[in-house]
């Protein structure tokens, strides 16, 4: 509720309005402009909604200046170091860390829903053999509403719960099958005796010709990638999910919309852009040249994977991700991979350069996650699908929160119209 002791006075022309102010648990106050048009006959103009709070939320908080990311109040570095992905999923979905019994029950429910309806294989095989995995995921996730009719009624709390479990459980299978289809290998079914991350890796890299053993270091690194990307407040894809759900769309359509938004290179493709930059650099001896270009304001080149649009200090996820990157590279080596050689030396060179320290351009989570996925053997086309697997729980948590928020209504942004004024139609022979 608004703080009755706080108001903002807006004066324009001969009108003066007193606008309520809402105070959050943490972060800046928010001026309530919900009745601005009704009372003042004006809109606000905020491209990108970067100064607009569109909802109340209790899920995630980011302070970019301090480099803080909290899930339900818990710092992300603590969660990534001490917890694991499904426990963080429970926290995001239900608001508190689970007891041992609650976590065991939750993990069991997720594990028992990892298989896809067998007929869904036809959707994968309907795509061209060279289809991008994200294109497949958008189509298949949207099509889930055609198979799971018992979890599309958003007014039913039980159906919302079933849809949530199904999406979190089946998303790794969908992503892994998209990968298998992309590389021309047979689909691998999930196994109930494996944890979430290990199951995903086995579905991606196992083949019928031989047994596949998941290395625990790689599995832990994958689990951390999932954990560190689970939710990130009101970003573009999360806002897309909320906007889609505001119309009453079914949960599978809403999550498919989120995947489509995530596909954009300015959002989910950051770690892919980082790897493409490393490929462009090519060899370690060219690093000084590219660092010099990054410092040149007249050169369009930018170091991808350094700094962050939100975090003005450091990315709190990067420290934990660096630890996993070091473990993975120690395990797999970089001797035969020039991209990873460039990555290691670029990281060292940038961290030692005062220019990057002054500009606070530290390696971010995308830099390290890209290195890890490259070392594991994933093509860059799979980086964003893996991001989608991670972010599914965040989208669902935000979706569920919105549906029970009495203040929410269908999204309908306004515009500053700059087109032609009203004019009469002219018959074609007179134009």
């Amino acid at each position: 509720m608004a703080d009755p002791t706080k108001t903002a006075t807006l004066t324009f022309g001969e009108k003066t309005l007193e606008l309520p102010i809402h105070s959050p648990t943490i972060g800046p106050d928010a001026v309530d402009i919900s009745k601005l048009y009704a009372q003042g006959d004006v809109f606000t103009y905020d491209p990108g909604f970067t100064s607009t709070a569109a909802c109340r939320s209790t899920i995630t908080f980011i302070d970019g200046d301090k480099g803080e990311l909290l899930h339900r109040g818990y710092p992300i570095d603590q969660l990534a170091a001490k917890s694991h992905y499904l426990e963080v999923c429970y926290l995001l979905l239900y608001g508190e860390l689970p007891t041992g019994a609650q976590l065991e029950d939750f993990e069991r429910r997720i594990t028992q829903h990892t298989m896809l309806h067998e007929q869904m294989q036809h959707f994968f095989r309907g795509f061209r053999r060279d289809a991008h995995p994200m294109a497949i995921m958008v189509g298949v996730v949207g099509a889930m509403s055609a198979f799971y009719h018992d979890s599309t009624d958003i007014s039913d709390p039980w159906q919302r719960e079933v849809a949530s479990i199904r999406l979190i459980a089946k998303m790794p299978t969908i992503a892994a099958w998209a990968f298998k289809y992309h590389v021309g290998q047979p689909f691998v079914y999930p196994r109930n005796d494996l944890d979430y991350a290990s199951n995903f890796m086995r579905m991606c890299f196992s083949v019928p010709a031989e047994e596949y053993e998941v290395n625990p270091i790689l599995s832990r690194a994958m689990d951390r990638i999932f954990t560190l990307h689970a939710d990130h407040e009101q970003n573009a894809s999360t806002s897309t999910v909320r906007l889609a759900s505001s119309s009453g769309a079914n949960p599978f359509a809403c999550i498919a919309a989120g995947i489509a938004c995530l596909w954009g290179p300015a959002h989910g493709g950051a770690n892919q852009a980082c790897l493409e930059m490393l490929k462009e650099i090519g060899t370690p001896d060219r690093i000084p040249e590219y660092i010099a270009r990054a410092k040149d304001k007249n050169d369009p080149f930018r170091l991808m994977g350094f700094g962050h649009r939100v975090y003005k200090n450091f990315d709190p996820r990067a420290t934990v991700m660096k630890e996993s990157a070091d473990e993975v590279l120690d395990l797999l080596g970089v001797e035969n991979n020039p991209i990873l050689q460039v990555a290691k030396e670029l990281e060292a060179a940038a961290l030692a350069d005062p220019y990057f320290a002054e500009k606070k351009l530290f390696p971010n989570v995308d830099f390290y996650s890209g290195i890890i996925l490259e070392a594991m053997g994933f093509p860059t086309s799979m980086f964003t699908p893996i991001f989608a697997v991670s972010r599914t729980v965040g989208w669902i948590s935000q979706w569920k929160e919105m549906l029970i928020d009495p203040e929410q209504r269908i999204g309908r942004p306004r515009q500053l119209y700059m087109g032609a004024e009203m004019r009469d139609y002219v018959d074609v022979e007179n134009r």
Side-chain angles (χ1 to χ4, degrees):
M1 299 297 292
D3 184 344
T5 65
K6 292 183 178 181
T7 60
T9 303
L10 175 64
T11 301
F12 54 101
E14 298 180 354
K15 294 183 179 180
T16 298
L17 301 178
E18 293 295 323
L19 303 175
I21 293 180
H22 299 268
S23 296
T25 307
I26 318 172
D29 288 345
V31 178
D32 187 341
I33 60 169
S34 57
K35 296 182 179 180
L36 182 61
Y37 177 55
Q39 297 178 352
D41 197 30
V42 293
F43 298 144
T44 57
Y45 182 60
D46 183 21
F49 310 111
T50 55
S51 297
T52 300
C55 64
R56 299 175 187 267
S57 183
T58 62
I59 300 171
T60 298
F61 173 76
I62 297 171
D63 188 323
D65 293 329
K66 294 181 180 179
E68 292 180 348
L69 170 59
L70 309 179
H71 290 327
R72 304 288 190 181
Y74 294 99
I76 187 61
D77 53 337
Q78 292 184 22
L79 292 172
K82 299 179 180 181
S83 184
H84 63 280
Y85 181 66
L86 286 186
E87 185 175 50
V88 173
C89 287
Y90 187 100
L91 173 67
L92 291 171
L93 285 170
Y94 304 117
E96 298 292 343
L97 288 170
T99 64
Q102 289 171 331
L103 181 58
E104 183 179 355
D105 174 69
F106 181 70
E107 290 177 336
R108 178 186 56 79
R109 286 189 289 147
I110 295 294
T111 301
Q112 292 181 348
H113 282 85
T114 52
M115 289 184 63
L116 298 178
H117 193 291
E118 193 69 6
Q119 287 183 332
M120 293 192 76
Q121 289 196 25
H122 299 301
F123 279 87
F124 290 85
R125 296 188 168 116
F127 286 92
R128 277 175 52 122
R129 66 186 182 279
D130 58 351
H132 194 288
M134 282 295 279
I136 297 175
M137 289 189 71
V138 170
V140 172
V141 172
M144 288 176 70
S145 60
F147 289 85
Y148 303 107
H149 302 292
D150 59 342
S151 55
T152 57
D153 183 356
I154 63 172
S155 65
D156 184 340
W158 175 246
Q159 291 201 29
R160 294 200 298 267
E161 178 70 11
V162 172
S164 302
I165 296 298
R166 280 177 170 160
L167 280 161
I168 295 169
K170 298 180 191 303
M171 198 66 76
T173 309
I174 293 172
W177 283 19
F179 174 58
K180 284 298 193 184
Y181 188 77
H182 188 61
V183 298
Q185 294 181 0
F187 296 146
V188 176
Y189 289 88
R191 264 179 32 185
N192 288 355
D193 60 328
L194 295 176
D195 63 78
Y196 194 86
S198 297
N199 213 354
F200 174 68
M201 293 194 65
R202 180 183 172 275
M203 287 189 290
C204 286
F205 294 117
S206 175
V207 292
E210 59 185 42
E211 198 55 43
Y212 177 79
E213 295 292 332
V214 182
N215 186 289
I217 293 178
L218 301 184
S219 176
R220 176 59 174 155
M222 180 58 69
D223 188 88
R224 280 182 168 174
I225 288 175
F226 288 157
T227 299
L228 293 169
H229 291 86
D231 191 55
H232 210 238
E233 212 204 79
Q234 305 308 315
N235 53 81
S237 59
T238 298
S239 298
T240 298
V241 171
R242 279 181 171 265
L243 190 61
S245 65
S246 75
S247 71
N250 71 74
F252 307 108
C254 294
I255 301 305
I259 295 172
C261 181
L262 186 73
W263 196 354
H267 188 9
N271 50 10
Q272 179 174 341
C274 175
L275 260 291
E276 290 170 351
M277 175 199 70
L278 295 175
K279 291 177 182 178
E280 179 185 343
I281 295 174
T283 55
D285 60 285
R286 300 188 67 194
I287 290 175
E289 169 194 345
Y290 278 85
I291 285 185
R293 290 183 60 188
K295 296 178 181 180
D296 185 354
K297 294 181 179 180
N298 297 319
D299 193 315
F301 174 78
R302 294 291 179 269
L303 279 183
M304 304 302 296
F306 289 78
H308 195 278
R309 181 176 176 274
V310 173
Y311 301 109
K312 306 306 180 186
N313 194 325
F314 66 95
D315 186 337
R317 303 167 296 174
T319 302
V320 179
M321 200 79 274
K322 172 178 168 52
E323 179 183 321
S324 284
D326 291 339
E327 292 173 354
V328 169
L329 295 185
D330 286 343
L331 174 69
L332 300 178
V334 300
E335 298 81 9
N336 299 319
N337 192 322
I339 295 175
L340 297 179
Q341 292 175 10
V342 171
K344 290 291 288 183
E345 295 200 25
L346 178 61
E347 175 198 25
L351 289 175
D353 194 314
Y355 173 86
F356 294 100
E358 291 170 6
K359 299 289 186 181
K360 298 180 179 179
L361 295 175
F362 305 110
N364 60 34
V365 70
D366 298 310
F367 181 80
Y368 293 117
S369 63
I371 291 174
I372 291 171
L373 296 175
E374 165 72 20
M376 286 180 177
F378 284 104
T380 54
S381 61
M382 273 301 293
F383 288 9
T384 314
I386 291 170
F387 195 161
V389 174
S390 313
R391 186 55 56 85
T392 296
V393 67
W395 291 331
I396 292 170
S397 300
Q398 301 274 350
W399 168 75
K400 291 179 71 176
E401 182 180 66
M402 179 182 177
L403 290 177
I404 61 173
D405 185 349
E407 291 186 337
Q408 290 301 305
R409 53 186 63 88
I410 188 169
R412 179 60 175 86
R414 300 294 189 168
Q415 66 176 11
L416 183 63
Y417 178 69
M418 303 299 290
E421 297 181 358
M422 183 182 292
R423 48 185 173 174
D424 292 328
Y425 178 84
V426 178
D427 294 333
V428 64
E429 60 270 15
N430 296 325
R431 294 178 208 159

